[in-house]
Amino acid sequence: MRSSLGASRGAGLAVGVMAFLLVGPAMRAASAPNDPHEQAHLQASVSPSRLKLGERATYRGRVVLPQGIGVHFAPPVAGGAFSWGTPVVRRGPITDPKSLDFGKDSVVVMIPIQVFETGPVPVPGLRLRLDRLAPRLRPLEGRLPVVQLVVTPVLTPADSAAQLRPVRGPLLAPWWERIAWSRVIAALVIVAVVVALIVMWRRRRRPALLAKPAPAAPRVRRDPAQVALAALAALRAERLPDRGLYGEHALHLTRILRVYLEATLATPRPGDTSAELLERLASAQLSPAEVLRLEGLLGFWDRVKFARAPMGTDEAVRCEDAVEALLRRGERPREVA
């Protein structure tokens, strides 16, 4: 009787345990219908899934979850066989009405990745954190699924298309690296010293001759009367009065006479007018007749040059003769020493 009672009690205990195992998950799901971790879909992939050593690929993770729930991705762990780039995260709603996830948000993270280990390599999923709707509940943490990659070497022994270059010996260094530049510089210094000693020895044997400057040619002083007579002869050769150029003829006669007086008398100065010249000549050692004669000539030439006074060929010739007589007179004015 006791054995039958114990058997009935064991059967009841087994039925109770099985009921708890079957009903427990349903109760937990009913008690937390808005749990974002149970409603989120996690996906991960790497494109391309088969790549060569060091080749660049793109890691792509995707999370589908209800709107309003925040998701945060932890940065990948650097080092080891993986080299990660800068992640780019994009989020947007699913607008396809035919999709089972219509109305939810899709969060995609893309990261460049390089693998430096050959063979089958598992890529660990990124760590993420989901924020619950109720602020009093702690956020949920998880990982994206693990992705399997196959990494092949750059050149494999079975690669028949690989063209390897034959083995070669060591290459010679460039010629400028094979020259002993220290010896070359020492040789150049020795040659320069020898040349300098030879030059100094030759200069000591042959004294330098100092070139004496050639004496300056003595300055020949020309007679002012001869210079004026030569200028008068050149003026007569031009025959200006015969061509009616009386004003130009009077101008040349004035210039010849002024240059002569300025060279022979100490009183006149260059640039004086006719009146100033006559005033200074009056104070010089000239006779009143000579001053009166010069006054007549200069005044007549000024009227011809500036007032266009009438003048004939005969008068022009007489003016030339008067200037020549003044230049050839026996008693010259006082000359400048």
Side-chain angles (χ1 to χ4, degrees):
M1 185 174 180
R2 291 182 178 177
S3 61
S4 61
L5 180 61
S8 62
R9 288 181 179 177
L13 182 60
V15 171
V17 172
M18 292 179 63
F20 176 77
L21 293 176
L22 293 175
V23 178
M27 294 178 64
R28 288 195 300 272
S31 64
N34 295 328
D35 193 345
H37 188 271
E38 294 182 358
Q39 296 182 8
H41 301 286
L42 308 180
Q43 299 175 359
S45 63
V46 177
S47 178
S49 61
R50 187 181 182 89
L51 63 158
K52 294 182 179 181
L53 184 67
E55 185 178 359
R56 189 171 182 177
T58 302
Y59 178 89
R60 185 176 185 271
R62 183 170 182 262
V63 181
V64 178
L65 70 171
Q67 295 182 355
I69 297 178
V71 58
H72 305 278
F73 295 96
V77 179
F82 302 98
S83 176
W84 299 87
T86 303
V88 177
V89 181
R90 297 176 182 175
R91 180 167 185 165
I94 299 175
T95 58
D96 187 6
K98 298 180 181 180
S99 176
L100 299 177
D101 298 324
F102 176 71
K104 296 183 179 181
D105 285 350
S106 175
V107 182
V108 179
V109 57
M110 292 183 293
I111 310 176
I113 184 175
Q114 288 179 296
V115 184
F116 298 95
E117 182 179 341
T118 59
V121 180
V123 180
L126 295 180
R127 298 184 61 87
L128 56 89
R129 185 187 66 191
L130 300 179
D131 297 334
R132 295 189 180 185
L133 295 176
R136 68 178 181 276
L137 300 178
R138 296 179 61 185
L140 298 176
E141 296 183 356
R143 277 184 178 273
L144 294 177
V146 178
V147 182
Q148 292 291 335
L149 282 181
V150 178
V151 182
T152 59
V154 179
L155 291 178
T156 62
D159 191 357
S160 60
Q163 297 180 358
L164 301 178
R165 297 183 179 181
V167 180
R168 297 181 180 179
L171 299 178
L172 294 177
W175 63 269
W176 57 85
E177 294 183 1
R178 290 182 280 117
I179 295 178
W181 289 109
S182 58
R183 298 182 180 179
V184 174
I185 295 174
L188 293 177
V189 171
I190 294 174
V191 172
V193 172
V194 171
V195 171
L197 293 176
I198 293 175
V199 172
M200 294 175 60
W201 178 68
R202 288 187 176 183
R203 287 183 177 179
R204 289 182 179 179
R205 289 189 59 189
R206 183 181 58 186
L209 299 178
L210 298 177
K212 296 181 180 180
R219 189 175 180 180
V220 180
R221 184 178 180 181
R222 301 180 64 185
D223 187 7
Q226 298 297 328
V227 175
L229 290 173
L232 181 61
L235 178 62
R236 285 175 173 174
E238 293 182 4
R239 305 182 66 85
L240 297 179
D242 296 342
R243 294 181 290 172
L245 302 175
Y246 298 106
E248 186 176 353
H249 182 263
L251 178 63
H252 285 293
L253 288 177
T254 304
R255 179 181 59 81
I256 293 172
L257 187 58
R258 290 176 65 90
V259 170
Y260 171 73
L261 294 175
E262 291 172 359
T264 55
L265 298 177
T267 303
R269 293 182 302 180
D272 290 342
T273 62
S274 298
E276 294 174 348
L277 178 61
L278 292 173
E279 183 179 356
R280 295 180 185 279
L281 290 176
S283 61
Q285 295 180 0
L286 292 177
S287 61
E290 291 178 342
V291 174
L292 184 62
R293 188 176 182 182
L294 290 174
E295 182 180 2
L297 289 174
L298 294 175
F300 177 67
W301 291 337
D302 288 343
R303 290 192 299 273
V304 173
K305 290 184 295 182
F306 305 114
R308 296 184 179 181
M311 183 179 180
T313 305
D314 296 338
E315 294 179 350
V317 173
R318 285 196 295 271
C319 290
E320 294 176 353
D321 296 340
V323 172
E324 183 179 3
L326 181 61
L327 297 176
R328 296 181 181 276
R329 59 192 173 89
E331 295 181 1
R332 296 181 180 179
R334 183 173 55 88
E335 295 184 356
V336 181

